[in-house]
Amino acid sequence: MTSRIAREPLAPVAQYPPELVTHYRERGYWTDETLAGFITAAAARHPDNEAVVGSDATGAQTRLTYCDLDRRSSAVARGLSGLGVRAGDRVLLQLPNIVEYVEALFGVLKLGALPVFGLPAHRRTEIGYFCQFADVAAYIVADRHGGFDYRALAREVNEGLETPPVVIVAGDPEEFVGFDSLRGYEVPVLADVDPLSVAFLQLSGGTTGVPKLIPRTHADYLYSVRASNPICGVDDSTRMLVVLPAAHNFPMSSPGILGVFHAGGTVVLAPDTMPSTAFGLIESERVTHASLVPPIALAWMAAPSKADHDLSSLRVLGVGGAKFSAEAAARVPTELGCTLQQVFGMAEGLVNYTRLDDTQELIVSTQGRPISPDDEVRVVDDDGALVEPGTTGHLLTRGPYTIRGYYRADAHNAEVFDAEGFYRTGDLVSVTDSGHLIVEGRAKDQINRGGEKVAAEEIENHLLSHPAVHDAAVVAVPDEYLGERTCAVLVISGDAPTVGEIKRYIRGRGVAAYKVPDRVEFVTEFPVTGVGKTSKAALRRVLSESIAAQTLSS
Ligand code: OOB
């Protein structure tokens, strides 16, 4: 047994004003339900329903009932406790879509510890940062996935940390603790959890040099989950295919895995994102719901293997995370035989859905309307004044499941939350008469690469650390498939490196592959704004013109 390393208590987080706490409770949004008690209550309601179908870390096909999941997650909680993890400690989960992910998630929550949601794509730099910033006590990974060895990553990360977390591995653990061995310990579970306390730390898409962590409470998160279910037609007959990384906010809670578990339905975990894998599972598992980012929805519609499978069980396809073009949206019902539901959400809170009974016009051309009557949406101009209805402006929001501040980020919070607690989303929207939002663009310095968010500043900092790079700007360039790709524009001093060298250099910095610039362009100087700052708008314009010209001439 590992001796316990004392961990810092969770840092204080921005609170909701007391009058709103009362209001949200009175309206029944916030209840005493906790994520920790959630799976036990679900198991009591429908013990023998199938909760999860998917591979485990060894690749074996596994089916768990709610009763199995309840028992296995309790064993994980006891095992973690035996390893010295305590209520309030942070546990970093970085697992692919395997059944151990849900066991681990509820195990951590039952202990009263806080999951931190890593993505399988994250590498040394991101994982090391989360471990340090959130003072992570335990780090749970799979042995290998997608050709990558997460034990090697854990070794690398731990070398750089003063108080490394205990590493737990699903599959072959080598020198680490085996996930299966967690079931061996018999230590009582602690958790007596306050529903208004922080339940976990979710990752933000980010606009700054380092990723921000989002503290969500049991009460706020579960409200968004419970309220999503009727909007998305989720009930105990739902069989939801999870194709996107399970730890992302969209497949987790909009309505996601948690929505399905709340209703007593079944989650089907897809081991990869290939359309043929999904189609096989839709047919064999009689899948009714799936949530996708636009590029995967496009790939489904274009896949020839569609014709070889019976997809008739599919009722609702949620598409979100990035703008889905009206042209593609219009093709979903005929090409996939299901209802499209557009989803415009953010890990910070606000989620909008088109309603299943909306007109086809609204479903195709809008990104939906908020979940809650108490979601407050303001659309303002550059000076902060409300715009006329239907006019494009900056989206600000606050409400019963939108955070009031990022974790340990006072300076940034002062910029992105206004005095009344509204969150400046960085999105440009217009609102229809029906209250539906249309995403018109973005004011934040972020690239939305088919739903995967890249903070320009984070990659610019990596680029600037290269000895030959004098100045760097990372901007979005249009892409038919992903919507946007990243382009690093560089001013070089001295010998010019090749494009390949720059990409290898960024990869070598230990960041997720989706953050490595897709294109690299060299310029002698940047266009500037009136006040002499680099004009990214001008850069984007020049680049899209030159890309369009290249496409025309090819
Ligand atoms: C979801 O969450 P995040 O935190 O990865 O990203 C949020 C951002 C939004 O601020 C917006 O810029 C963009 O992603 N976005 C969309 C969109 N959905 C999200 N932009 C255009 N159209 C859409 N439909 O991406 C997320 C969280 C919960 C549910 C769905 C998506």
Side-chain angles (χ1 to χ4, degrees):
M1 198 172 301
T2 319
S3 64
R4 162 153 175 92
I5 298 170
R7 298 288 166 177
E8 292 293 321
L10 191 77
V13 301
Q15 299 291 313
Y16 294 84
E19 63 281 9
L20 280 181
V21 174
T22 309
H23 178 67
Y24 295 154
R25 289 189 78 106
E26 277 172 4
R27 296 297 300 261
Y29 303 151
W30 291 5
T31 67
D32 289 335
E33 196 176 22
T34 65
L35 279 158
F38 178 93
I39 214 65
T40 305
R45 280 200 298 271
H46 21 69
D48 301 322
N49 286 14
E50 205 167 51
V52 197
V53 178
S55 304
D56 70 8
T58 68
Q61 194 61 17
T62 308
R63 289 176 184 274
L64 301 183
T65 63
Y66 279 85
C67 189
D68 295 333
L69 180 54
D70 190 33
R71 230 176 324 108
R72 288 196 184 202
S73 53
S74 288
V76 171
R78 283 196 299 273
L80 288 170
S81 171
L83 288 168
V85 182
R86 295 287 174 264
D89 283 352
R90 273 72 61 202
V91 178
L92 178 58
L93 301 181
Q94 190 191 24
L95 290 164
N97 292 2
I98 57 176
V99 292
E100 287 90 339
Y101 169 74
V102 278
E103 297 176 23
L105 169 63
F106 288 107
V108 172
L109 289 163
K110 281 182 175 181
L111 183 62
L114 280 69
V116 181
F117 292 107
L119 294 174
H122 287 141
R123 294 293 177 260
R124 182 185 76 234
T125 300
E126 291 102 349
I127 297 295
Y129 175 76
F130 301 143
C131 285
Q132 190 139 34
F133 190 74
D135 192 25
V136 163
Y139 171 37
I140 308 183
V141 291
D143 50 4
R144 300 180 63 84
H145 184 74
F148 183 76
D149 190 333
Y150 287 87
R151 296 159 300 193
L153 174 61
R155 260 171 232 129
E156 237 188 307
V157 166
N158 275 5
E159 256 172 41
L161 293 170
E162 226 167 273
T163 51
V166 50
V167 177
I168 298 157
V169 180
D172 176 1
E174 296 183 336
E175 76 271 31
F176 300 116
V177 177
F179 186 80
D180 287 336
S181 78
L182 292 181
R183 295 173 189 146
Y185 297 110
E186 281 298 333
V187 184
V189 177
L190 310 166
D192 177 16
V193 173
D194 174 1
L196 301 193
S197 67
V198 176
F200 59 80
L201 298 172
Q202 181 57 280
L203 308 186
S204 86
T207 52
T208 49
V210 286
K212 294 280 172 286
L213 296 180
I214 296 170
R216 298 287 300 262
T217 66
H218 297 270
D220 92 68
Y221 207 60
L222 282 169
Y223 167 53
S224 76
V225 168
R226 276 195 316 271
S228 290
N229 275 354
I231 296 173
C232 306
V234 167
D235 59 27
D236 63 355
S237 72
T238 298
R239 297 179 66 83
M240 180 176 286
L241 184 68
V242 177
V243 175
L244 302 175
H248 187 275
N249 196 63
F250 182 19
M252 182 149 70
S253 67
S254 306
I257 295 173
L258 296 181
V260 173
F261 285 169
H262 204 275
T266 306
V267 165
V268 179
L269 298 171
D272 60 59
T273 58
M274 307 237 296
S276 54
T277 306
F279 296 156
L281 286 169
I282 293 172
E283 178 170 336
S284 64
E285 295 296 332
R286 305 302 296 152
V287 164
T288 60
H289 286 66
S291 304
L292 304 177
V293 288
I296 302 183
L298 291 174
W300 280 25
M301 290 199 281
S305 54
K306 198 172 59 178
D308 308 335
H309 294 277
D310 174 7
L311 306 182
S312 61
S313 58
L314 193 61
R315 296 202 293 255
V316 180
L317 184 69
V319 177
K323 180 85 181 239
F324 198 34
S325 76
E327 176 276 318
R331 293 194 280 121
V332 168
T334 40
E335 298 204 12
L336 296 169
C338 60
T339 302
L340 170 68
Q341 180 161 53
Q342 295 217 38
V343 190
F344 164 40
M346 52 206 72
E348 287 81 356
L350 181 70
V351 178
N352 304 275
Y353 296 106
T354 54
R355 301 313 197 248
L356 300 179
D357 59 359
D358 274 344
T359 61
Q360 201 54 22
E361 168 68 16
L362 283 172
I363 291 176
V364 163
S365 59
T366 79
Q367 279 64 58
R369 61 184 172 84
I371 292 177
S372 175
D374 276 274
D375 278 322
E376 297 174 71
V377 161
R378 276 188 188 166
V379 184
V380 302
D381 64 17
D382 289 347
D383 301 321
L386 289 174
V387 301
E388 292 295 317
T391 311
T392 300
H394 301 270
L395 170 65
L396 274 52
T397 186
R398 71 179 179 188
Y401 58 96
T402 296
I403 56 162
R404 294 301 181 120
Y406 292 100
Y407 185 59
R408 293 182 58 198
D410 291 348
H412 185 65
N413 286 342
E415 272 174 44
V416 297
F417 292 88
D418 75 10
E420 293 173 276
F422 278 84
Y423 166 55
R424 295 182 219 273
T425 64
D427 294 311
L428 298 173
V429 302
S430 61
V431 183
T432 65
D433 293 340
S434 56
H436 288 64
L437 275 57
I438 299 173
V439 181
E440 308 277 6
R442 196 171 50 236
K444 55 190 165 189
D445 202 5
Q446 187 183 74
I447 295 90
N448 190 335
R449 204 175 167 280
E452 286 180 316
K453 316 299 177 332
V454 180
E457 188 185 332
E458 184 182 337
I459 304 310
E460 286 160 6
N461 288 344
H462 286 296
L463 289 162
L464 285 168
S465 72
H466 188 288
V469 173
H470 173 70
D471 208 350
V474 174
V475 293
V477 287
D479 181 79
E480 203 184 331
Y481 176 61
L482 289 178
E484 295 174 7
R485 282 185 195 268
T486 51
C487 180
V489 189
L490 304 178
V491 178
I492 295 297
S493 58
D495 288 344
T498 64
V499 169
E501 277 161 10
I502 292 291
K503 290 190 183 186
R504 266 195 304 282
Y505 177 76
I506 297 299
R507 213 169 289 121
R509 301 276 295 173
V511 299
Y514 67 83
K515 296 182 186 173
V516 176
D518 295 298
R519 292 175 73 103
V520 180
E521 300 283 342
F522 300 101
V523 295
T524 46
E525 58 183 10
F526 288 143
V528 288
T529 63
V531 290
K533 277 174 51 178
T534 298
S535 169
K536 289 202 167 176
L539 263 182
R540 274 192 293 270
R541 221 172 19 249
V542 172
L543 286 168
S544 32
E545 279 164 16
S546 84
I547 291 167
Q550 280 166 23
T551 315
L552 280 179
S553 63
S554 62

